[in-house]
Every structure is written in C-alpha cells, then in structure tokens.
Amino acid sequence: MTQHASPPRDSTGKVPSAGAPPAWRGLMARADVRTLSLLGVLAALIVIGGITKPDEFLDTRNLQLVLTQASVIGVVTVGMTFVITSGGIDLSVGAIVALASVWATTVATQEYGFGGILFTAVIVGVGCGLVNGLLIAYGAMVPFIATLAMLASARGLALQITDGKTQIVTVPSVLDLGERDAYVLGIPPLVMVFAVVTIIGWLILNRTTFGRRTVAVGGNAEAARLAGIDVRRQRLYLYLLSGLCCGIAAFLLIILSGSGQNTNGNLYELDAIAAAIIGGTLLSGGRGTITGSVLGVLIFTTITNIFALNNLQSDVQQIAKGAIIVAAVLVQRRTASTT
C-alpha cells in the first residue's frame, strides 16, 4: 500500500491554506503599523509645537536642545528595552545615573581628566548593573525588589558623596563637548553618541544570537533553559548592559549640565519604561523594539519641550505621561488578546 506524506502543519496543528502568508510577515506588518503610528504621533506633536509656538519650537537651537535632552534618557532606554524584553525590569536606572555622575565628578576623579571621568562613570554603572544581575540571576530575587533596593542604595550613596552639594566640572575637554563649536554639521556630540548606541543596540537585538536569546528568555524562560540557553547568565549580561548604558548616560549628562548632582536622573526609570512600552516592547517580555523605544523617547521629550515653551506646569506633564502609559498598556493587552 502506498503511503502519502502528511501535509505540513503549523504550530496549532492546522494545515495552512494555500497562499497563506508566513507568520513572520504578520509580525512585520504589525511592527510596521506600530512604527508608522508612532511616527504619526511624533509628526502631530511637531505640528502642535509649530502652531502654538512657531518661532520658539521650530528654531534650530530648540530642535537641537530636544535631541540633546532625548540623548541622555535615550541611551538609558536602549538598555531598559533589553531588560524588559527579557521579562525583567530595572527601577534603579535613574539612581545609577545619579551615582555615576557624582562619583565621576569628585575632585579626586577630575584630577585624571577626561579619561578618568568617562572611565569612572562607566565602571560605576557597570558595577551597579553587576550587583543587580547577581541578585536577580543567581540570588533568585524578584527584579522589582532587587532594583528597588539598588535605587534606594544608589541614591543614598550619591547623597553621601556630594553632601547635598553640586559638584562643578572643571575639565575643559569635557565642558567643550557641550559647546556649539563641538557640533558636527549642526549635530551635537551627545546626539551622535545616542545614534551610535541605538544602532549597536538594534544590531544586537535583531541580528545576533544574544538578541535571540534575550527574546527567548522573555517569551518563556523554562523553554529557553530546555533549549540550552543559560538563563541566569543571560539575565546577568542584560543587567550589565543596562548598567553600561546608565554609565554612558551619566557621562552625557555631565557634559550637558557641566556638573554632578545627587538629584540627577530623577524619574528616569519612569521615562525609560514608558518610552519602551509605548514603543512596542511587551511589558511581560518576549518582544522588544529599539526603533519603537527611540521614537517613544522622542515623543516624550517633544511633549516636555512643548509644555515648557507654553509655560504649562510640570504636574500636567506627569499626568499626560501617565495617561500615555496607561493607553499604551491597554493597546498592548488588546493586541495580545487578538493574536
């Protein structure tokens, strides 16, 4: 008796109909819709800013300021995107930025010049990320608790180092990067650093096995473990990456403000998480997008700029951000229930 090969079936056990598009095309289509939607929101905000304050908002200096301010929180958001994609969370990013910025601007550190400040900011960020990663990956602590403890500890240490005082940077090579003479083709150095970090982050998440392991861990950690992925080591690396991004952001903030303060990075955790979520990164893990996160950062920074130009109070800004976060999460839940 002749046996016929059974037709191929999809993950649900059903035989796909002829001409049915592959599943990845549907994912790409949804990603494109999200990106286009975010671009539409950003375009609408630019129009609103141009209408309400045309002379101030559309001024080249103001647009450069928006991009510069977005660069600092943007670098933090790149690291946060990786952490959330893996199913984790990092509430300590703002405090780590503060600690790295004040540790890198002490009198003793500034004696080593540009290299000393940069090295200290990065190593403090990585060190804090290492502690978070060890507690979460090998100490089996819940990310929320571990990073909350780091938030409190880092803020307290930053306050102790500064004694509540602002530490002024006196290294000319660092301060010069914040001057307009350092702009390349009208682009501030901070924006170029942000662009480089974004490109590298996108490549790692979308074109490397590290990125695929990150998505796998966030989607189903047990399945990832059974597939041969060292889940604990992957989580450690991700919090190291987040700490590295915080260290880089701290150095950018030092350039931007010319000082180190224990209040630096205030509410950065809110802004980074919010930007990642509205960008399309799934809060429960398993899906992340660097492009969407960057657009989320630009949307929030533009909103803040428009509010400031129109002399609206900061509490109104926070209410608007909170509403956007709620709306983004509701959209995510609705999208997840229909797929």
Side-chain angles (χ1 to χ4, degrees), residues 143-318:
F144 181 92
I145 300 300
T147 58
L148 185 63
M150 175 59 73
L151 183 156
S153 301
R155 282 288 179 195
L157 185 54
L159 178 60
Q160 186 179 53
I161 291 175
T162 61
D163 194 24
K165 301 175 182 178
T166 299
Q167 298 178 166
I168 305 300
V169 176
T170 58
V171 180
S173 56
V174 173
L175 298 174
D176 289 345
L177 290 177
E179 300 296 330
R180 296 188 62 83
D181 292 340
Y183 291 11
V184 179
L185 300 177
I187 303 175
L190 276 68
V191 177
M192 291 187 286
V193 172
F194 177 35
V196 170
V197 171
T198 298
I199 293 171
I200 293 175
W202 186 91
L203 290 173
I204 292 175
L205 185 59
N206 296 282
R207 293 291 185 268
T208 67
T209 55
F210 182 89
R212 289 191 288 273
R213 288 196 298 266
T214 300
V215 174
V217 170
N220 190 323
E222 181 60 20
R225 186 186 66 81
L226 294 174
I229 297 175
D230 190 331
V231 176
R232 293 189 300 178
R233 185 172 62 185
Q234 184 69 17
R235 284 175 173 160
L236 173 62
Y237 288 162
L238 288 167
Y239 281 95
L240 282 172
L241 178 60
S242 179
L244 172 63
C245 288
C246 289
I248 296 173
F251 183 70
L252 297 183
L253 191 57
I254 291 170
I255 296 173
L256 183 62
S257 63
S259 64
Q261 305 176 53
N262 66 285
T263 56
N264 282 343
N266 187 35
L267 295 181
Y268 272 20
E269 55 277 357
L270 169 65
D271 291 340
I273 293 171
I277 292 174
I278 71 169
T281 297
L282 198 60
L283 190 58
S284 57
R287 186 184 74 206
T289 162
I290 297 296
T291 302
S293 295
V294 170
L295 289 174
V297 169
L298 292 175
I299 287 172
F300 275 123
T301 308
T302 304
I303 290 175
T304 301
N305 184 258
I306 292 174
F307 276 44
L309 291 177
N310 286 276
N311 297 319
L312 296 176
Q313 297 180 354
S314 59
D315 54 352
V316 180
Q317 297 181 33
Q318 300 304 327

Side-chain angles (χ1 to χ4, degrees), residues 43-223:
L45 288 173
I46 292 174
V47 171
I48 292 172
I51 292 175
T52 56
K53 292 288 183 177
D55 295 334
E56 295 91 339
F57 181 79
L58 297 178
D59 183 72
T60 302
R61 290 178 179 269
N62 183 64
L63 296 178
Q64 290 172 334
L65 175 63
V66 170
L67 291 176
T68 301
Q69 292 175 336
S71 299
V72 180
I73 185 62
V75 172
V76 175
T77 303
V78 170
M80 182 69 79
T81 301
F82 278 89
V83 171
I84 295 178
T85 301
S86 72
I89 199 73
D90 192 346
L91 301 179
S92 63
V93 290
I96 294 175
V97 169
L99 178 59
S101 69
V102 299
W103 208 323
T105 54
T106 61
V107 175
T109 303
Q110 292 194 51
E111 291 179 355
Y112 293 93
F114 183 98
I117 294 176
L118 175 59
F119 176 79
T120 303
V122 170
I123 204 66
V124 170
V126 172
C128 292
L130 176 63
V131 174
N132 280 338
L134 289 174
L135 291 175
I136 294 166
Y138 295 95
M141 288 188 67
V142 177
F144 181 92
I145 300 300
T147 58
L148 185 63
M150 175 59 73
L151 183 156
S153 301
R155 282 288 179 195
L157 185 54
L159 178 60
Q160 186 179 53
I161 291 175
T162 61
D163 194 24
K165 301 175 182 178
T166 299
Q167 298 178 166
I168 305 300
V169 176
T170 58
V171 180
S173 56
V174 173
L175 298 174
D176 289 345
L177 290 177
E179 300 296 330
R180 296 188 62 83
D181 292 340
Y183 291 11
V184 179
L185 300 177
I187 303 175
L190 276 68
V191 177
M192 291 187 286
V193 172
F194 177 35
V196 170
V197 171
T198 298
I199 293 171
I200 293 175
W202 186 91
L203 290 173
I204 292 175
L205 185 59
N206 296 282
R207 293 291 185 268
T208 67
T209 55
F210 182 89
R212 289 191 288 273
R213 288 196 298 266
T214 300
V215 174
V217 170
N220 190 323
E222 181 60 20

